[in-house]
């Protein structure tokens, strides 16, 4: 059974398998916390193999209750997507399974009418909220399951993607073997069940029951044949797995990077990214990266190319103040993935001293050192790499005074006895303790030396690149900062592409919701652009915006349609829209070089011709 679930895209890690068993055996209907939409995909695939089929609908749909009603009557499975913090009260009888026996069957009261209840009916619910807080009243009515992705599960998924792109023959063989093994195991189980049923219903001497004897004889032949095939497939699967495993370093790097970007939401609620977006970017990076006949070199190219592509894409949607922080997080994640970071050193770098060691420690060696700095240095001395540092500090006091007085302390060297002993991360710890004002410069140098200069030079604002990454179902979101207004940039870009006549904009505020909805509906058919400004000012309409974006269907609207949104950072902005949208910021870049680059990027041949 578990093999069949894996065939239906259930992630093959321990937590997901446990979740699969609970879904299969639980009495209450499951409500799955599914920020990466894995459970969604699994339930849909499982439902396709179900005899009665599966009906998928969103909580925001007007026909949701009708679909649930039909599912109950015809014994279908029903999957409710994008559940919020509360459940529709009309679902109460279904959640409580308040069915009543009526003759040979059951009925259930839904709303003001009783309907027939078929036992093959199943209800599944998923929410894309990463950390929802459900009330006790809701929690006792459902089985809450956490389907948030695990590092091992993600690594296996990314391995599947890279092998499917690089060696499609291997991935296809692997998938065929998984399906074949699941079918063979199912056949063996059916044979065993048939024999047990015949034994249970047989009367008299079982050896004289021709039907049973014939069944056992034919079953033995089938069983022997299946077991022989399974042995062959095991050997083949072993060879395929060995070939697939050679791509494991790439899958590991991508999994490490995903958990780095997921944590960005702790910095700003607007920094949210979906697994589907991440995997799509990874697929594009594999296709666009330079090829190489040398296998090891190809693996390095894939890792470096995707890391850079991810950095460029994420930086487009970050505020200037957060870009160096993201570069550091990316660098530390990569080094931690390669086991090159000591946790105690990293903790000191990020947190610093957590206790006062000066009071009962050695005396402050000089007046210019000060109590706060000496406490930092005493805490630094507790790190294994800096053992004995506080006692040797006084001996080299003149050298440290020179570093203290230096304008660029991060460019100075430690005394000889420490220079050879201290690695770049440990030197950062020293700068943090001794000259914290130079820490940012030291971190930028550290990142540049560890993973490359390109990771400390964010891309300039380029609306054309962001537009190229979008499709008609992808909202383009400007995250605003005080004093910025990208409306003029969008209008100029629309004029450049010749869509200004089909461009409409509205500034959201009280009573503007219905107007915005009509604009979007007409633009979908005509292939126009709609710009909704200041979404943060209309919190009450955000659920409607989420429903509109959810129901964007590429088959029923023009390919040229685009939805542009602008908003200040706001916790009420829909997570679903953020995760699947193309995010941009339009702040003046920090530093003279970045400003010059931005100015030059705005120059065109047409400007010189004029």
């Amino acid at each position: 059974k578990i093999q069949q679930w894996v065939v239906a895209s259930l992630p093959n890690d321990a937590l997901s398998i446990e979740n699969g068993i609970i879904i299969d055996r639980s009495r209450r209907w499951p409500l799955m916390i599914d920020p990466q939409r894995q459970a969604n995909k699994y339930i849909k695939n499982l439902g396709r193999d179900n005899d009665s089929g599966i009906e998928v609908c969103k909580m925001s749909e007007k026909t949701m209750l009708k679909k649930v009603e039909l599912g109950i009557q015809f014994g279908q499975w029903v999957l409710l997507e994008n559940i919020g913090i509360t459940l529709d009260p009309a679902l109460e009888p279904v959640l409580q399974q308040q069915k009543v026996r009526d003759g040979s069957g059951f009925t259930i009261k839904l709303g003001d009418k009783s309907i027939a209840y078929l036992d093959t009916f199943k209800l599944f619910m998923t929410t894309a909220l990463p950390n929802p807080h459900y009330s006790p009243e809701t929690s006792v009515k459902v089985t809450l399951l956490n389907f948030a992705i695990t590092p091992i599960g993600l690594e296996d998924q990314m391995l599947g993607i890279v092998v499917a792109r690089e060696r499609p023959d291997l991935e296809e063989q692997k998938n065929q073997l998984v399906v074949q093994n699941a079918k063979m195991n199912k056949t063996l189980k059916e044979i065993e069940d048939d024999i047990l049923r015949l034994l249970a219903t047989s009367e008299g001497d079982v050896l004289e029951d021709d039907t049973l004897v014939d069944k056992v004889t034919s079953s033995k032949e089938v069983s022997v044949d299946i077991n022989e095939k399974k042995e062959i497939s095991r050997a083949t699967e072993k060879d395929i797995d060995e070939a697939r495993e050679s791509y494991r370093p790439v899958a590991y790097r991508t999994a490490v990077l995903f958990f780095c970007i997921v944590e960005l939401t702790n910095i700003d609620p607007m920094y949210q990214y979906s697994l589907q977006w991440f995997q799509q970017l990874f697929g594009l990076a594999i296709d666009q990266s330079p090829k190489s006949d040398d296998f090891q070199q190809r693996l390095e190219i894939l890792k470096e190319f995707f890391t850079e592509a991810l950095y460029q894409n994420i930086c487009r949607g970050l505020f200037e103040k957060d870009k160096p922080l993201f570069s550091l997080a990316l660098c530390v994640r990569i080094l931690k993935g390669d086991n090159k970071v000591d946790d105690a050193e990293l903790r000191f770098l990020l947190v610093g001293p957590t206790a006062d060691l000066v009071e009962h420690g050695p005396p402050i060696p000089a007046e210019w050192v000060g109590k706060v700095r000496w406490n930092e240095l005493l805490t630094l001395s507790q790190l294994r790499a800096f053992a004995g540092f506080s006692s040797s500090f006084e001996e080299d006091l003149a050298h440290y005074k020179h570093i203290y007085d230096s304008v660029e302390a991060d460019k100075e060297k430690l005394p000889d006895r420490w220079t050879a002993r201290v690695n770049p991360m440990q030197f950062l710890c020293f700068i943090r303790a001794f000259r914290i004002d130079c820490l940012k410069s030291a971190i930028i140098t550290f990142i540049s030396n560890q993973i490359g200069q390109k990771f400390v030079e964010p891309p300039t604002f380029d609306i054309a690149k962001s537009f190229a990454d979008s499709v008609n179902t992808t909202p383009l979101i400007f995250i605003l900062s005080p004093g910025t207004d990208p409306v003029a940039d969008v209008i100029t870009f629309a004029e450049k592409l010749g869509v200004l006549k089909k461009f409409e904009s509205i500034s959201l505020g009280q009573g503007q919701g219905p107007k915005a909805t009509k604009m979007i509906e007409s633009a979908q058919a005509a292939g126009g652009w709609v710009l909704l400004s200041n979404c943060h000012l209309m919190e009450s309409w955000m659920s409607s915006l989420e429903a509109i974006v959810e129901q964007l269907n590429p088959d029923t609207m023009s390919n040229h349609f685009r939805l542009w949104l602008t908003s200040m950072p706001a916790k009420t902005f829909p997570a679903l829209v953020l995760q699947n949208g193309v995010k941009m910021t339009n702040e003046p870049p920090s530093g003279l070089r970045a400003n010059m680059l931005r100015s030059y990027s705005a120059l065109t041949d047409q400007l010189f011709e004029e």
Side-chain angles (χ1 to χ4, degrees), residues 279-488:
Q279 290 177 334
Q280 190 180 1
L281 182 65
F282 182 48
L284 283 171
I286 294 170
D287 294 340
Q288 293 170 3
S289 59
K291 304 295 182 243
S292 174
D293 294 330
D294 184 294
F295 183 70
Q296 288 304 321
Q297 189 182 6
R298 175 64 180 156
L299 292 183
E300 285 304 311
I301 287 170
L302 285 172
K303 287 199 286 186
E304 295 305 318
F305 192 87
F306 175 63
T307 307
E308 186 178 357
L310 183 71
Y311 172 75
Q312 297 275 339
N313 271 272
I314 298 289
C315 273
R316 278 187 219 156
L318 299 183
F319 292 125
E320 288 298 318
K321 65 182 176 64
D322 296 327
K323 287 175 184 177
L325 184 60
F326 173 57
S327 296
L328 178 64
L330 199 68
C331 180
V332 169
R333 274 282 180 177
I334 291 168
L335 294 177
K336 267 183 80 72
D338 297 337
N339 292 318
K340 292 180 180 176
V341 173
D342 181 274
D343 287 338
E345 291 167 6
L346 181 61
R347 194 180 304 114
F348 174 78
L349 179 66
L350 299 176
V351 179
T354 54
D356 185 359
L357 303 180
V358 177
E359 195 173 336
H360 302 291
I364 300 169
E367 190 180 339
W368 58 266
V369 176
K371 183 181 176 182
V372 175
R373 184 175 283 104
W374 187 236
N375 192 41
E376 292 263 2
L377 293 170
L378 289 177
T379 309
L380 181 73
S381 302
Q382 293 184 333
L383 296 175
R384 193 170 51 209
F386 286 94
F389 182 81
S390 58
S391 54
S392 71
F393 185 84
E394 198 166 352
E395 297 168 25
D396 298 307
L397 202 59
H399 190 106
Y400 289 116
K401 181 73 167 78
H402 171 71
I403 298 174
Y404 174 77
D405 292 333
S406 174
V407 176
E408 295 182 319
D410 56 299
K411 302 285 192 296
E412 302 291 341
K413 288 189 175 180
L414 288 170
D416 293 341
R417 72 175 89 180
W418 292 103
T419 303
R421 285 173 58 180
V422 171
N423 66 29
M425 173 63 90
Q426 289 156 1
F427 183 70
L428 279 186
C429 293
F430 167 75
I431 292 295
R432 191 241 183 276
F434 197 65
R435 281 288 301 273
I436 198 166
D437 57 305
C438 295
L439 186 59
K440 184 176 179 180
S441 173
I443 283 172
I444 288 169
T445 306
F446 172 77
I447 295 164
S448 178
N449 292 338
Q450 294 297 320
I451 58 174
Q453 181 68 22
K454 57 196 171 190
F455 292 101
V456 291
E457 295 175 351
T460 55
F461 173 71
D462 189 341
I463 196 170
K465 275 188 181 177
S466 299
F467 179 77
D469 286 346
S470 70
V471 292
N472 55 356
T473 56
T474 313
L476 292 113
I477 307 157
F478 282 99
I479 305 172
L480 303 176
S481 57
T484 60
D485 185 12
V487 174

Side-chain angles (χ1 to χ4, degrees), residues 69-116:
E69 186 183 316
L70 291 172
I72 293 169
Q73 282 181 312
F74 296 107
Q76 279 184 310
W77 290 8
V78 176
L79 170 61
L80 295 181
E81 298 179 312
N82 299 331
I83 300 286
I85 292 295
T86 56
L87 294 173
D88 192 325
L91 290 172
E92 186 80 13
V94 184
L95 297 176
Q96 300 274 31
Q97 297 184 35
Q98 294 170 350
K99 53 187 181 180
V100 180
R101 180 166 288 283
D102 183 16
S104 58
F106 290 95
T107 60
I108 190 168
K109 193 163 186 181
L110 202 61
D112 55 356
K113 58 181 176 179
S114 292
I115 54 171

